[in-house]
Amino acid sequence: MSQLNDAAAPDEGTGAAAHPEFPTHFDFRSAETTLSEAWEAARLFRAEAARTTRAGGERDPFTILIPPPNVTAVLHVGHGLNNTVQDVLIRWRRMVGDEALWLPGTDHAGIATQNVVEKILATEGKTRFDVGREAFVERTEAFVEETGGLILKQLRAIGASADWSRTAYTFSPALSRAVREAFVRLHERGLVYRGHRVIHWCPRCLTSLSDEEAEFHDSVGKLYHIRYALADDASQGLTIATTRPETLLADVAVAVHPDDARYAAFVGRTVALPLTGIALPVIADAYVERAFGTGALKITPAHDANDFDVGKRHGLAMPVVISPEGRMGEIVDAAGRVPAELRGLDRFDARRRIVQQLEASGALVKVETHAHSVRHCYRCDTVVEPRLSDQWFVRMAPLAEPALAAVKDGAVRLLPEKWEKVYINWLEGIRDWNISRQLWWGHRVPVWTCGDCGHADAHREDPTACGTCGGTKLEQDPDVFDTWFSSWLWPISTLGWPDEESEDLKAFFPSDVLVTAPDILFFWVARMIMAGYAFMGRAPFHSVYLHGTVRDMKHRKMSKSLGNGIDPLDVVERYGADALRWTLIQGMGLGVDVMLDPDDLDKSFAPGRNFATKLWNIGRFILLQVGEDPVTPLAQVDAAAFTLADRWILGRLDAAIAECDAALGPARPRAGHWPPADRQVGLRLDAYAEAARRFVWNELADWYVEAVKARLAERGADREVARAVLVHMFDQGLRLLHPIMPFVTEALWQRLPGATPGRFLAASRWPSTARTDWRGARDSRGGAHTGGSEFDVVREAIDAIRRLRSEYAVTPGQTIRTYVAKGDGGAVLVENAALVHRLARSEVHVGAAPAGAAAHAVLPSGLELALPLEGMVDLEKECARLRVELAGLARQLGALRGRLANEQFTARAPAEVVEGERAKEREWSARAEQLSAKVAELCG
RNA sequence: GGGCGAAUAGCUCAGCUGGUCAGAGCACCUGCCUUACACGCAGGGUGUCGGGGGUUCGAGUCCCUCUUCGCCCA
């Protein structure tokens, strides 16, 4: 059989009669397409504002807003993970009965998209400046028009049940209006300002960046110790330490700590800047760290943010010597500072040259290797240059306040919990946000300056005349906004804000769960919360689910550049979308990274495909055995007609539903805020997946389906009961699994007896234990002993017989006999003799085994089994085996009795714990007695 | 430099508010084409829960400390 699942191939015989209408494998390729189209045609994923309780309807709204991928993005496995999580949640809530809206869309991704188009231009030998701003923007629009949004189509292929009719785009006219409104409102509230300060500048992208966009990368650099001689006495001087000697051309002072005795005598004197001889004052400032380097610091206010603060405190000049492109030059207030031979040199070339010159002049004292962090542009990885410039800033402290309170008081929770601390830590030290970018692709800053009177103001509509002097020589600010300045409005702009009467805004805001990766916690999540409070007066969602990262087997992040990525569409093609989804969900603990092996897709995705096949075959069995005749609804079955197995599986279903619900929910805080006890509860997708899988595979398929086979073979009332239970169980199992594996479950559900065209599993009701009306029919002995119910006694016996068969290497086909000692438990085995026979190949007899060698077992339920295995059982071995078992039991019992004998324990432990231990002791000692009697009898 | 977190079976990880919690999946070994499924079925085991100390009647589970690793921020 080929590696690839080629469902079109004829069944390869395993003896089963071929059923051309029901092959042994699920043809996921054709089913996925067909079902996607059917769902879409039925408009199952369209949310209606009017149906929500907020609009007077019946349903609770449940909203998830997609973290908009970059408009130029191509689906990678990280998107796969992110969107699968969202889809699982939205399908779950849709089935529960919420008016579920998953709103999709894309981000224009200012700097990223501009870079893509610039690269295309570069292949034509052009820069954006060659084509000009207007033409460049047009070209980018055309590019986005043509290639953008591909990722949304790809999301459909993995089963994303988003409301595509509401697809949003951050640069659309509607959302652009929101961006403009937001800026103007902040401007009106005095929360934006034009700041003259040192910002992060990318010399390649030629734009400023926010603090968050300038990422730290650890690197090993050099620490240069340079001597600055006193201007009036070259025999004395100060040695400073710097990692960036090229910036010394812009030095305006040397600073030492005010309490530093070593340098006290220098403060107030003047030193000569090496190379140029410019006179610099020696100043004292507590910012200087005495222990770092030499304890003396050169001050370069225009090229270092900390030095800028020092410069401001001391009223120092701020010459700029590095150009936007990163070249040395006398850019601003720097006349006479840059020697001619250095002008125009790249900053790193200049560094080398300057170090040579310092060395030649004797000013270079020493060079040390030095591990430090250097900021890089998050889009192009270029080393960022701190540069003095004018930018627009948002005053963040007032915005941060409610966002901080939101998490502290439980209006918003972050999962996993550790991120709450990170979030709080960041917000408590919040810095103002540089929102202007010197790019062309983005929302233009809506500020116009009058050429006549110089008045500048922000405008909702493009102004035609100056509001102050009436002049018409108005010029718009050339900058555009940080792309995140539109993203932070996503939860409100996509729903219609600033139109506060928007139906969607009223019905679906605030949203519910935000699903994203922690790397954009500050970029995006925190700012959305701030925007929610700033513009709507409340948090935009109540839960933030921060999932892990997809990594390879060496724990490296999957990325194109490393070549260790996995193409989700390739996985869909080879294993099916359900397999992809299953693997991602079941392997994902809360916030835990998902490890996948790009070199061995089978290892990661075969289990998902195998599970889909397993489901398919359970369905195949049911369809072929149960037939198409109408099936009695479970509620109409007389409870008295249920067998032990029926009652057992009914109980297991309730347990599975309860486990799935407990793993997933609660979906929302009960009273607007998360009480401490609920803050970290729910969204355990792996636990949900495992509970559902275990029910369907290990309980329904492994036991119930086997148990029911004999009953299906004979016509009569009991067959109808079995059919009713079986179909109900499978139906419910499919529902539990549908959010994770939508395709195979829907395909099977459509084929269940009673399925009607136009009805979809995707729109069916989520299972509920509350709606079961057979609860009174539950196993009469349920929970009476640790084995659980009466059916568990049967399972226990079958397990024991199987183990003994294996132990004594009984030929698989050989039927043996099992004797069960008289006692009330034995009757259960006799009742289920057919099942024991089918699953353990053994007859059941009551009474003592005939004389001769036999294998023995004492079950937790107290049942004693004897399997006469003449010629196979070695008495010595059997004795040894039983003694080992007895010894193990005795050891545990000893520890247990020790505990119970300890008065400290019985007196201080909670009563129910003590009682539990006592019950355990009774059960274990009974079993130990039985075992030891058995050993005495057999082994003397 | 500041903050946060993790160390549990060969691998990836569960183990919530301390009392069968020493588990799951994968991998591995043995035997089976037992007529839904070999993408399957049955059976099989391995861990001083990173080291040390403490709290407790009782600790992977709480506290301290050390070691190693990771993340975020400056």
Side-chain angles (χ1 to χ4, degrees), chain A residues 182-193 392 447 456-458:
Chain A
F183 178 83
V184 174
R185 282 200 198 179
L186 291 175
H187 192 263
E188 287 166 354
R189 293 186 213 165
L191 290 172
V192 292
Y193 63 94
W392 289 101
V447 171
D457 209 349

Side-chain angles (χ1 to χ4, degrees), chain A residues 92 657-666 681-689 691:
Chain A
W92 164 54
I657 294 168
E659 272 185 73
C660 290
D661 283 344
L664 285 167
V681 176
L683 303 177
R684 262 44 174 205
L685 301 191
D686 57 336
Y688 149 55

Side-chain angles (χ1 to χ4, degrees), chain A residues 519-540:
Chain A
D519 51 347
I520 51 175
L521 181 58
F522 306 142
F523 273 115
W524 192 49
V525 179
R527 287 174 182 156
M528 280 193 287
I529 296 173
M530 293 190 249
Y533 281 98
F535 302 114
M536 292 294 291
R538 59 178 304 171

Side-chain angles (χ1 to χ4, degrees), chain A residues 92-116:
Chain A
W92 164 54
R93 294 317 301 176
R94 192 180 289 123
M95 289 176 76
V96 168
D98 288 349
E99 190 63 21
L101 169 61
W102 184 17
L103 196 150
T106 52
D107 194 306
H108 70 288
I111 190 167
T113 303
Q114 173 159 330
N115 284 354
V116 170

